[in-house]
Amino acid sequence: MEEVVVIVGAGPSGLATFACLKQLNIPSIILEREDCHASLWKKRAYDRLKLHLAKQFCSLPHMPYPPNTPTFVPRAKFVEYMDSYVEKFDINPKCNRSVESAVYDNHEAKWKIEVKNLITGEPENYVAKFLVVATGENNKGFIPKIPGIESFAGDVLHSSEFKSGKEYDGKKVLVVGCGNSGMEIAYDLSNHGASTSIVIRSPFHIVTKEMIRLGMNLLNYLPLWLVDSITLALARLAYGNLDKYGIHRPIGGPFELKVKLGRSPVIDVGTVGRIKKGKIKVFPEIMKIEKDSIQFNNGDTEQFDALVFATGFQSTANNWLKDFDYILGNDGMPKNKFPSHWKGTNAVYCTGLSRRGLAGVSSDAQKVADDIAMILKSEKRHN
């Protein structure tokens, strides 16, 4: 089957790219391994999750949120929004399609894509002039290799498998990872009666949603360094010095680190207050695990019933994109630095790998569609 554009992945990145191409009358198809669009949001997100940025920064191209949508969109509302997006742009992903390989044919100047139909087990072959990698940053949950982890007697799960703390009432649970997911899961566990601890290894900024919203609006008028100074002053007023609680601020402001390294600040949902009251205990790095006992690098040893790893995700695009070096590095992330990350050579693109959330997704999708339109227009003019 020959296509103009093949998009791999039916999450927000793939849907946004399809919509932008459709607005320019460029045909495309989406291949999706799961049995639905937006599977991460529908199947692998915890119940209390909300978008961390205000809705004005989290819409997909060509469709703002309805006026009655809450400022910070809950997961269920975001799923509804994406379902409406699919309906509006008449997006019909080919689901249950596992892309096994994508190779660029230099002679034909086309991408050859081998796909397995997960329903029938039959192979399918696609040929495309353009290929878009839209499988996202959050493709496969990452659990680090810790000595003795295989001996742990309790539950071991990744944050993508966690739904609600109510399942752990009365149990001792250790959350490994102190990003937004880890801190929010720890709060949810504590809220539901679990004896909760969290591993904090690295420095990070603690802010509120309102501080980030204010900062993002101020960036339209003020330099980044000044917005960082204002945000940090507000954070100090709100939280004070958190060093004695095991939470340390990094060098560089929250917006500077986001721009330079793609590192997000932690948006507090109440976790810091629980830590200050001693209701959530902070531990440093894990050294080893022996059955239900965890030994930390400060010499402490404690027993737990469950481990929740909020240790991030890995891009798996390199597993099937055999010519990944046209656009990706060995880690499955763009090898070109922002803002040139989205375009590779030989007509391959990526969307949703900028570490800039849904705003980055929308920007990538529009740039990819515009670039493809420009190439097609140029070719038509010369033929």
Side-chain angles (χ1 to χ4, degrees), residues 17-93:
T17 306
F18 183 99
C20 289
L21 288 166
K22 187 165 188 174
Q23 292 295 99
L24 297 169
N25 296 311
I26 300 170
S28 66
I29 65 162
I30 301 178
L31 302 172
E32 168 57 48
R33 180 182 175 86
E34 300 293 331
D35 62 0
C36 63
H37 62 268
S39 63
L40 177 67
W41 293 89
K42 290 183 174 182
K43 297 181 175 183
R44 293 187 285 154
Y46 47 92
D47 292 346
R48 62 166 287 118
L49 177 65
K50 291 183 179 181
L51 299 185
H52 292 130
L53 299 182
K55 62 183 178 183
Q56 69 202 82
F57 305 110
C58 295
S59 61
L60 298 181
H62 309 297
M63 192 178 119
Y65 287 96
N68 61 347
T69 306
T71 301
F72 296 98
V73 185
R75 180 183 70 89
K77 285 284 184 186
F78 186 60
V79 169
E80 284 179 20
Y81 170 76
M82 284 191 288
D83 287 344
S84 299
Y85 196 81
V86 164
E87 185 177 351
K88 176 178 178 177
F89 293 103
D90 192 24
I91 307 174
N92 294 291

Side-chain angles (χ1 to χ4, degrees), residues 9 64 92 102 125 171 188 210 217 221 246 290 302 311 329 331 353:
N92 294 291
N125 292 288
K171 294 186 176 181
D188 192 55
E210 290 72 22
N217 283 317
Y221 310 100
E290 292 181 0
E302 194 148 335
T311 40
D331 60 353
L353 292 178

Side-chain angles (χ1 to χ4, degrees), residues 13-321:
S13 303
L15 302 180
T17 306
F18 183 99
C20 289
L21 288 166
K22 187 165 188 174
Q23 292 295 99
L24 297 169
N25 296 311
I26 300 170
S28 66
I29 65 162
I30 301 178
L31 302 172
E32 168 57 48
R33 180 182 175 86
E34 300 293 331
D35 62 0
C36 63
H37 62 268
S39 63
L40 177 67
W41 293 89
K42 290 183 174 182
K43 297 181 175 183
R44 293 187 285 154
Y46 47 92
D47 292 346
R48 62 166 287 118
L49 177 65
K50 291 183 179 181
L51 299 185
H52 292 130
L53 299 182
K55 62 183 178 183
Q56 69 202 82
F57 305 110
C58 295
S59 61
L60 298 181
H62 309 297
M63 192 178 119
Y65 287 96
N68 61 347
T69 306
T71 301
F72 296 98
V73 185
R75 180 183 70 89
K77 285 284 184 186
F78 186 60
V79 169
E80 284 179 20
Y81 170 76
M82 284 191 288
D83 287 344
S84 299
Y85 196 81
V86 164
E87 185 177 351
K88 176 178 178 177
F89 293 103
D90 192 24
I91 307 174
N92 294 291
K94 288 181 176 288
C95 293
N96 297 296
R97 299 314 202 276
S98 173
V99 176
E100 303 295 296
S101 84
V103 177
Y104 187 71
D105 187 318
N106 281 285
H107 179 68
E108 294 187 26
K110 299 280 179 69
W111 284 92
K112 303 291 181 70
I113 304 149
E114 295 181 4
V115 175
K116 182 179 181 181
N117 186 319
L118 298 177
I119 299 295
T120 65
E122 295 295 316
E124 298 176 355
N125 292 288
Y126 297 82
V127 178
K129 185 174 180 64
F130 302 97
L131 177 66
V132 181
V133 180
T135 44
E137 301 166 16
N138 301 335
N139 196 257
K140 180 183 178 184
F142 170 71
I143 294 180
K145 293 178 181 178
I146 298 172
I149 191 170
E150 66 282 349
S151 73
F152 186 73
D155 293 342
V156 177
L157 65 154
H158 187 264
S159 59
S160 59
E161 302 169 277
F162 179 87
K163 291 298 179 185
S164 171
K166 62 186 177 185
E167 301 169 34
Y168 296 93
D169 181 20
K171 294 186 176 181
K172 291 189 68 176
V173 185
L174 177 67
V175 179
V176 184
C178 55
N180 278 298
S181 293
M183 293 288 274
E184 189 160 359
I185 286 171
Y187 178 79
D188 192 55
L189 285 161
S190 178
N191 238 10
H192 283 94
S195 175
T196 308
S197 300
I198 187 168
V199 170
I200 295 181
R201 298 189 312 157
S202 307
F204 56 90
H205 288 291
I206 287 278
V207 292
T208 65
K209 288 180 178 178
E210 290 72 22
M211 290 175 197
I212 291 297
R213 186 185 183 190
L214 172 64
M216 291 185 75
N217 283 317
L218 288 177
L219 284 170
N220 293 318
Y221 310 100
L222 301 175
L224 186 146
W225 68 266
L226 183 53
V227 175
D228 266 342
S229 296
I230 293 168
T231 306
L232 286 172
L234 292 172
R236 289 189 190 98
L237 280 172
Y239 297 106
N241 188 336
L242 298 174
D243 287 347
K244 64 181 177 181
Y245 301 104
I247 300 172
H248 306 285
R249 288 193 181 95
I251 297 170
F255 289 101
E256 177 191 353
L257 292 178
K258 184 64 178 173
V259 169
K260 286 185 176 179
L261 304 175
R263 284 173 51 189
S264 298
V266 170
I267 297 173
D268 183 41
V269 295
T271 316
V272 173
R274 294 285 173 99
I275 289 172
K276 285 182 172 181
K277 292 176 182 176
K279 293 183 177 180
I280 295 176
K281 192 172 181 180
V282 173
F283 284 101
E285 186 173 2
I286 296 173
M287 292 300 292
K288 65 178 180 178
I289 299 172
E290 292 181 0
K291 295 185 178 179
D292 61 352
S293 294
I294 313 292
Q295 183 178 323
F296 301 92
N297 70 358
N298 64 351
D300 288 350
T301 299
E302 194 148 335
Q303 293 181 322
F304 293 94
D305 300 306
L307 301 177
V308 180
F309 284 89
T311 40
F313 293 80
Q314 291 176 314
S315 167
T316 59
N318 285 13
N319 295 345
W320 55 267
L321 184 60

